Structure formats: C-alpha cells, structure tokens
Amino acid sequence: MQNQEVYDSVVAKFEKVFGAKPAVVAYAPGRIEVLGNHTDYNEGFVFSAAIDKGTFFAVSPAEDDKVTLVANDLDASYETTLAAVAKVESGATWANYPLGTFNWLLDGEPAKAGKGFKAVFGGNIPLGAGLSSSAALEMATALALAKVYGIEKDKTTLAKIGQKAEHTFAGCPCGLLDQASSMYGKAGALVKSDFRSNCFETVSMGPAVAFMMVKSNAKHALVDGAYASRRQACEDAAKHFAKVLRKPVTHLRDVTMAEWVLYKGGLDETQAKRAVHPIGEDERVLQGAALLEKGDLKAFGALMFDSHESSRNWFENSCAELDTIVDAAKSIPEVYGARLSGGGFGGSCCLLVDPTAADKIAAEITAQYKAVYGDEPTCSLIKPSDGAHLV
C-alpha cells in the first residue's frame, strides 16, 4: 500500500484512543496543479494530478450522538454533538474541514445521522506547500463517512461537498479543482478538468517524466483576502465583457485573448491584468492537451514557464521566492517547465522534470535559492498517482 507508514500510524492511534480497530478507513491524495491557474472558478480548464502523498481518515460509528475528531499529526482532539455541529471560530479550527464535510454530506442537517462518529486522521502532505492538504482531508472524510452512514454519492458530488465545507466552515472561497483532482487522479496521468461541464478526464503523460515540487519557505496562505480580491476582479471583468461583446459571456471562459486585447478598455488597469491571466491559461491548457497527444513534453513545459510569467506579471499571485525557483529551473536543461502551483502567494513550484536527473536538479535549485535567501527549499519528486479510495 502507498504511504503504509502513515496508515499504520493512524490506525494505531485509533486503537489507542478508542480501544478497537476502525470500521472504515479512506485515503485521499493531495494534488499538484500543472497548468491552468485560477481558471476553475472562471469555468475554464485545468491540468492537475493527484500526488503520491495524502491523508487517511479512520472512523467508526459512535454509540451515542457524540462526534469526536482526533488529528494525529497535531496530537489534538475536538468533541461536539450532532446537534451542535457548527463552524469552529477559534482554537481547534482544523476541525472545520471534517466537520464542514460531515455537515454538508448530511445536507446541512447532521442531527439526522442519528448517531455520531469517532475518527482519527493523519497524512504526509507538507502543510502550507500549496498541495491541498485541506482538500485531501475533506475527500477522505467524505468517502469514509459516506460509507459509515450508507450514503451513496458520485465523485463530483463529494468534491462539491468538500468545496462547500471549505467555503462555509473554513472561510476560503476556493474553486472545485483541489477536491476534483483528489477524487479523479490516476497513476501516470494528468487530470484534465472542464469546470463548465464539471467533466473530468485523465490524459496519460508517459513513463519518462515526473514532477518535482519545490517548497519555498514563503508561507502559503489564501484566507487573507488576496484570493478573494482576485476572484472578485475576474467576476467584475466577466460582467464588463458580457456588456461589450456580441455573444453570451457568463465567465472569463467565454472571452478569447484577442477579445481581451480589443475590449479591455472599459476595465481599470488592475481588472484588466487580473482577467488576462485565466483567459491565457485556458488557451494554454487546450494547447497543452494537443501537445501531450503528440508526446511533445518540451513544448508542454514551455507553456508552464509562460504560465508562471503570467502569474508574476498579470495576476500578481507569485512572490520573490517562487520567482527565484522558476528562474533557477530555466537554467537547467533537464527541467522542461516550471511554475507556481495552487493559489500562489507562497507555497510551492511545480517542475516538469527528467526523473533520472532529479538529484542534480534539486542540488542546483537549492544552491541558487540558498544564495539569495540563506535557507534551503524542500525538493521532492512527485509521481502522478491514483485518486481517493476506501482502503
């Protein structure tokens, strides 16, 4: 089993705390975003992959209406009752991810579950690295609790439940990318998502490549309003294009780069800069799909470099540390492409690499980063892996 040590640790903790083995264990991976940045809530296209690190959620039904959550990695616990399930405002705010998922799995009426549950969860996704540890926890929670309570829902519905938990309990207005990537991942493949139709397909990458995640030491944080302000700018821009273009426009998905050039005049400078990023990203994802069909990984990688420049210059969701990593990657022949991953503002960069040169790539990037910042980034080779499942 992948991540056997993490599984063993979570199950052992469950037995220690609750005196018996868990009835159900579910696993969900984190994700890397490969191309298509901030396009999900603009109803656009994204390439992502489930990664080979994730979260286990071990659970058994309770005999009463009590809900008990134990975070193995934090060595912390939280208790409530079915009738009192609500957003945790202070203290154990980590509980909001599983609590919110449980709440919406039961359609906002957790009391109708009848009996509570006791659970332990833990994982090995580096926190604050932009690898979506929160979505992995939500999807593992959703799969495990759906099994415990006999609830049957398809993968996309479970992904939307996790997203709603993130919006309402965690307070982050994320798109559906993270949860869908965790659910639909497949070994050796990218997940191509169309967020208009919520259609998810896998596209093979071939065995000769891998990704390297380079985690900067710039803390990744999205709930501070930077994400929300950019989303608002995209929505405002879509309204502008709906007025000036002679075709239906509901989201930036409906606007081409040529139309942006011709009709951006009615936007203020910031709105125009924010809008061009997802418009360009959609076009890059569609180009990338055609390149992968031909097996042209170097041209696909060039699109990743272009994507990062767009983040740096237009969307302004990069930072100096991420730019240093990408600039270093450009000087290494065995790196085909590189860009920030996830929401940005810190976290990690995603590099498309020749895995046989992994040690060399890590050493060169570490040296260049250390020369600027005095500390070292964390480099790890990532293999696209299978999505969430019951263990």
Side-chain angles (χ1 to χ4, degrees), residues 242-304:
K243 285 182 194 152
V244 298
L245 295 178
R246 299 173 92 174
K247 66 177 190 181
V249 174
T250 62
H251 293 77
L252 290 178
R253 152 78 170 265
D254 301 310
V255 182
T256 66
M257 190 64 88
E259 287 165 343
W260 176 85
V261 170
L262 292 169
Y263 295 101
K264 66 182 178 182
L267 297 169
D268 69 40
E269 187 187 354
T270 299
Q271 288 172 328
K273 285 170 75 171
R274 300 298 181 254
V276 76
H277 179 61
I279 293 168
E281 287 289 271
D282 278 338
E283 296 190 359
R284 281 185 279 276
V285 172
L286 296 177
Q287 282 178 300
L291 291 168
L292 284 180
E293 276 187 26
K294 291 192 280 189
D296 192 343
L297 291 167
K298 291 200 170 164
F300 183 90
L303 293 174
M304 293 175 67

